[in-house]
Amino acid sequence: MKLNDIEKYFEDNANSYEIGNLIGIKNDLNDLLFEQMIIAKEQIISRNNINFSIHIERTIDLNNAYAKKLNDNIYEINIGEKFTSYFFYFLSKKSEDLLEILVNDEDFENKFKYVTSNDIRDIIYSISVLLFFYHELAHILNNHLEFIKDKNLSKKEFYLEFTDDEKSLDDNIIEIWQALESEADSFAVKQSFLHFMEHKKEKFLIFQKFRKLCDSDFLTLKFYGYAISLTFLFLEIRSNGYHSRNGKHPQPFLRLSRSSTDINQKNMFTIIKTLESCYITSVNKFGFIKDYLSNDAYTEVPKLIHATDKLTKLGLKRFI
């Protein structure tokens, strides 16, 4: 499935029952997710001298999510309508395949035998929209927006300060951007994972249902690995493969592995191995280009962690 395929389907079937039904279900989930974002916002404002607004689908044609500074200590997070709609449709087409993977995974011992593909779609969408929100929030809380502006990233001398290696200007630019995006990923994955692990609200019964199915830390991590693998693969499709080469974001598996290691730094390599299994299974099942998979995540992930640490030495002053 390519981005053009998704766009064409929406254009050709804009008024169809299927699209209308999917949008209705998605909007109901968005209402519940927005409540969780507001709770997170209130907690953050109480601890930090910043404020921000949250908009889900305010911008109809936006196939993206972003954070923006409006005034001193005032920001906004915007998650576009096209972005969420395309993602929800993508999940509706891939959730049956993921359910088959889960049913056949011996580690889950038939726990997913009575789960529906719609359940899979809804839980992955919920986890992922929270992840998108926390990713953009991380750009605010880690002061990335000011860092990019203040350092004027078009200056060659700044880029060349970032690494001790002999690299081209473009390589240094990419390394800085990937460090910033990797830091945002790490915060986002950890926070969305905590939502999945700890959520007790009755309105989020689907979270509770999956927590009962994933009744150990290992199974929780493995299911989360499948879910986020699918999310990062969608992001790669949305970018038409740009991230997999020389973009601002690391390759999908590196994004998944680097960000998830912050859940438990002591077991970093065990986590990478578990996620690698989930990711390879997903790539093979969904027919995505295997080139997206990094051949050496065990060395590349520590490099991303080191690159993130270097941001502090370059003057990044985080709010958190």
Side-chain angles (χ1 to χ4, degrees), residues 221 260-261 263-264 267-276:
L221 175 65
S260 299
T261 55
I263 295 172
N264 190 333
N267 298 317
M268 179 173 70
F269 295 114
T270 301
I271 288 174
I272 291 176
K273 186 175 181 180
T274 301
L275 296 176
E276 184 177 42

Side-chain angles (χ1 to χ4, degrees), residues 198-213:
E198 300 176 358
H199 208 286
K200 301 294 192 297
K201 282 214 166 189
E202 185 177 346
K203 287 183 179 180
F204 258 75
L205 290 176
I206 191 167
F207 271 43
Q208 294 185 27
K209 179 177 182 177
F210 277 85
R211 283 294 298 122
K212 289 178 181 178
L213 293 172

